[in-house]
Amino acid sequence: MAHDLPAWVSELTDPRRATTLDELADRLVPLAEHAIDVSRRLQALLSELNEPFKREALYGRVERLKTRSTEALGEVSGEISASGRQRIERVWAAWHERRADGELGAELRQRLDSDVIPALTTQERAVAEQVAEHVAGALETVNRTLLGQVEELATAVTDMIHDVLPLAHEGLNLASRISTLSSRARQAGRSEVPAELRAEAIELAAASESTIARLELEWAALGARTATVRAALRAAEETAFSEVTAQMTRCVEELAPAHINVLNEAEARAMALVDELGPGAPS
């Protein structure tokens, strides 16, 4: 499928086809505007590319990782607390199966509060503190790794910006040259285009085609690289969080056997109280 524009487009826009000075000046203006547009788009992409490496963004990334880790730790701590509550709920279920209530229920609650629940609370706190300590160490490690990766990427991005920024300036310089020629043509009158101005117009039109094509190509490529950088930063952050949660999971798995033993012992003591205080128990 052909994508060439109709022939009349060049007739009305190509400064090399201008026959009068007014035509030349009018046709040079869009060239300058195009050069300015693509240069500004390049500069905007460069600014966007650099944005994630500013101090505020780096601080925000570290804080976001810390917040997410704290939330995950809170969920684990909640599960640890729930494990103790579930054992006590089982005790009360066994108690209600005996249809016990009144003063006996109040006595059981008092005995649980004094003989069983403190041990559960102490165990839950100890496990939560060990997991929190482990997470703090993991978070410190992954933060160092994350910041190292960001710094390495920032170096590459800085080099990229230094390479591309002159192209944006080249486009603006080209636009300035085109605008200057357009002003000269407009000030020269309404006659036919002199040979000197026509030569300059031909040279600038060719330079414009070449330069703008390179700038447009660089803009497209830079857009793709900007997306890749954003994806890399996101991946590094997600990998860091995954490492924290993996460390948290391993810590919980290591502590689980001892924690379950404490829960079993506490539940056994509570069930013994049910047997001792429940209906039918020996007086």
Side-chain angles (χ1 to χ4, degrees), residues 7 14 65 171 190 197 227 243:
D14 190 345
L65 179 57
R190 299 179 179 274
L197 284 181
E243 180 59 28

Side-chain angles (χ1 to χ4, degrees), residues 61-62 64-66 68-69 72 135 137-150 232-248 250:
R61 184 165 288 108
V62 171
R64 185 163 54 248
L65 179 57
K66 180 180 178 181
R68 294 176 68 190
S69 300
V135 168
L139 190 59
E140 183 178 348
T141 299
V142 300
N143 266 332
R144 284 199 300 268
T145 301
L146 176 61
L147 292 176
Q149 291 171 332
V150 171
L233 288 170
R234 182 63 176 167
E237 188 173 332
E238 289 302 318
T239 299
F241 179 65
S242 295
E243 180 59 28
V244 171
T245 55
Q247 292 281 358
M248 189 185 306
R250 284 194 288 271

Side-chain angles (χ1 to χ4, degrees), residues 116-126:
V116 177
I117 292 179
L120 285 176
T121 302
T122 299
Q123 172 64 17
E124 291 165 5
R125 184 183 300 113

